[in-house]
DNA sequence: CCCTTCACCTGACAAATTGTCAATACGCAT
DNA sequence: ATGCGTATTGACAATTTGTCAGGTGAAGGG
């Protein structure tokens, strides 16, 4: 249905329409009109993915809510998965801002872990349901999705860097492969936070428990 | 399309056709014919879910491979998700057998963790791709799936029991909520093993690293 | 100010898929 | 062999996806 050529064609269109005649904004090579359509589509997609979830949301619903024609959706995204990953990426960016803000206050490993969890709560309070919708295992959405990193993977990378830094500063004693550590931490946090939400665990207790477990994992016995 | 009544009707059919006239096996109330169709369908579903993944597998493909009519699929499963969860449940059962066998050899917490990881490898060697296909986050497959437990949740429950036992035997010192511990462990293991597979990490090194991290997490600082 | 031109958009359409159901086949008890 | 209810079947209606020929609008030239 959509071979590499087709996919690339759309991606290229996003990049630059060659600024021939009617192309507006020369700065980024994208017309104002196109950007506006894309913005409306992403906003609609976000709302629907959060409200209904991935599977109950159809491209036609997104187009309709965005107030653009059905075909326009496919001019901006190759398919629903592409649209979803764009949304998830956006959420990652937003979370990272909150995260960096919180991490600035942390003075050691334990505080960093706790601040991360508090940042997640803060973002979720401000954007109910968004994280749950975005932080999904994309392996299930498509078999072959090696080109784009999933939110989970991206987040694991961030944790890896933190682990490396802590190790350099002798804050932790674990000699576990840092990249593996990043993945273990992300897996534990996602599952743990999901559990806490599902069973309505007290917020502070959950954060303390997870922080204790992660801190223990990072310290060699 | 399928209200509760329809769903229940199918479930009831699975349970017992009332053993009136032509119902064969009185022992379980299911005719041999029906059981055979179901067996063929599950076998076909398993093969396709493993080979192509959840989304690339269509009910019609399953029926065709099973050698039964398309409509038969819907007599045994309400939809594809129902079929998938049945498959995943079966895999859980199989893994548990291997797991119990391995755990019998373990003499302490660290060995138990390692034996679990070895059990996973053993099962994966014998059934390539099956675990990866089954151990998926079902939250993404359907928004409302509160009735059946996902494989991950079921597995978290098993870990919870192990944690409770270790704690009772003073093998671990963690005072983290055991049910939370179970979820943290499962999340870490899934993500960690997925990472190990993706990056082709040496098997023994991966197991040692994960075991070390988990053991640390279970020990109070 | 109008005209040209190209990027962008539109919605009808063909293809693919899902779930249903009336008709049919099957197997067991008699 | 026959009767009867269970189990199966495949055509069908409904839904959804992705495409494309034609239309629209904005920037630049005359």
């Amino acid at each position: 249905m959509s071979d590499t050529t087709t996919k690339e064609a759309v991606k290229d269109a996003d990049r630059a329409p060659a600024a021939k005649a009617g192309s507006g904004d020369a700065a980024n090579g994208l017309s104002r009109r196109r950007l506006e359509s894309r913005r409306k589509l992403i906003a609609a997609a976000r709302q629907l993915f959060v409200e209904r979830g991935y599977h109950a949301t159809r491209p036609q619903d997104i187009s309709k809510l965005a107030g653009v024609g059905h075909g326009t959706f496919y001019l901006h995204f190759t398919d629903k998965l592409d649209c979803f990953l764009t949304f998830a990426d956006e959420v990652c960016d937003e979370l990272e801002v909150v995260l960096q803000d919180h991490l600035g206050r942390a003075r050691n490993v334990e505080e960093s872990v706790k601040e991360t969890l508090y940042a997640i709560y803060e973002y979720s309070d401000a954007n109910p349901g968004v994280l749950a919708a975005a932080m999904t295992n994309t392996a299930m959405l498509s078999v072959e999705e090696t080109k784009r990193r999933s939110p989970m993977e991206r987040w694991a990378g961030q944790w890896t860097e933190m682990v490396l830094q802590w190790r350099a500063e002798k804050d932790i004693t674990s000699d576990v492969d840092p990249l593996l550590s990043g993945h273990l931490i992300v897996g534990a946090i996602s599952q743990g936070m999901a559990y806490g939400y599902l069973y309505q665990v007290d917020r502070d207790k959950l954060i303390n428990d997870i922080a204790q477990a992660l801190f223990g994992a990072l310290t060699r016995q």
Side-chain angles (χ1 to χ4, degrees), chain A residues 41-96:
Chain A
L41 278 169
I42 294 183
R46 179 184 186 121
Q47 179 182 334
L48 292 177
F49 282 144
V50 170
E51 280 179 10
R52 309 180 185 175
Y54 180 79
H55 283 93
T57 300
R58 289 161 242 321
Q60 53 180 332
D61 303 328
I62 297 175
S63 307
K64 192 173 181 182
L65 182 60
V68 301
H70 171 53
T72 306
F73 179 90
Y74 291 95
L75 292 177
H76 290 273
F77 310 106
T78 57
D79 51 22
K80 191 164 72 162
L81 179 60
D82 182 40
C83 178
F84 177 80
L85 289 177
T86 302
F87 151 69
D89 245 16
E90 201 182 79
V91 172
C92 271
D93 290 339
E94 294 171 5
L95 178 63
E96 195 168 353

Side-chain angles (χ1 to χ4, degrees), chain A residues 103 109 112-113 155-186 214 217-219:
Chain A
L103 284 176
V109 178
S112 294
V113 173
W155 211 20
Q158 291 177 13
W159 275 102
T160 301
E161 288 185 25
M162 287 175 64
V163 169
L164 281 170
Q165 193 182 328
W166 290 334
R167 187 194 277 192
E169 293 169 357
K170 313 285 186 193
D171 286 334
I172 59 174
T173 54
S174 164
D175 60 353
V176 169
D177 170 18
L179 195 44
L180 171 60
S181 295
H183 281 83
L184 293 177
I185 292 172
V186 167
L214 291 188
L218 289 167
T219 309

Side-chain angles (χ1 to χ4, degrees), chain A residues 10-217:
Chain A
V10 173
K11 298 289 173 179
D12 285 358
D14 278 354
R15 210 184 305 144
K20 278 184 178 177
S23 41
D25 196 341
N28 49 27
L30 295 174
S31 76
R32 206 168 299 147
R33 201 174 160 209
R34 184 180 177 83
L35 285 174
E36 181 61 10
S37 286
R38 188 183 173 83
R39 189 194 59 73
K40 285 192 289 186
L41 278 169
I42 294 183
R46 179 184 186 121
Q47 179 182 334
L48 292 177
F49 282 144
V50 170
E51 280 179 10
R52 309 180 185 175
Y54 180 79
H55 283 93
T57 300
R58 289 161 242 321
Q60 53 180 332
D61 303 328
I62 297 175
S63 307
K64 192 173 181 182
L65 182 60
V68 301
H70 171 53
T72 306
F73 179 90
Y74 291 95
L75 292 177
H76 290 273
F77 310 106
T78 57
D79 51 22
K80 191 164 72 162
L81 179 60
D82 182 40
C83 178
F84 177 80
L85 289 177
T86 302
F87 151 69
D89 245 16
E90 201 182 79
V91 172
C92 271
D93 290 339
E94 294 171 5
L95 178 63
E96 195 168 353
V97 171
V98 180
L99 212 51
Q100 291 304 329
D101 180 44
H102 274 257
L103 284 176
R105 305 172 202 162
R107 290 288 140 219
N108 56 46
V109 178
E110 233 172 335
E111 281 180 24
S112 294
V113 173
K114 284 191 182 179
E115 285 302 327
T116 300
L117 300 174
Y118 277 117
I120 295 173
Y121 268 121
E122 182 180 314
Y123 183 85
S124 285
D125 285 342
N127 308 276
V130 172
L131 266 188
M135 286 296 171
T136 196
N137 185 4
T138 48
M140 216 39 221
L141 304 182
S142 161
V143 185
E144 278 297 328
E145 185 53 38
T146 43
K147 292 173 185 176
R148 297 178 69 168
R149 288 169 74 198
S150 73
M152 293 279 282
E153 219 176 328
R154 178 176 160 182
W155 211 20
Q158 291 177 13
W159 275 102
T160 301
E161 288 185 25
M162 287 175 64
V163 169
L164 281 170
Q165 193 182 328
W166 290 334
R167 187 194 277 192
E169 293 169 357
K170 313 285 186 193
D171 286 334
I172 59 174
T173 54
S174 164
D175 60 353
V176 169
D177 170 18
L179 195 44
L180 171 60
S181 295
H183 281 83
L184 293 177
I185 292 172
V186 167
I189 289 183
S190 328
Q191 201 73 19
M193 295 295 267
Y195 159 81
Y197 176 76
L198 196 62
Y199 290 86
Q200 311 259 339
V201 177
D202 174 71
R203 187 170 293 205
D204 288 316
K205 169 148 182 52
L206 185 70
I207 288 180
N208 280 323
D209 274 4
I210 295 183
Q212 182 189 326
L214 291 188
F215 187 67

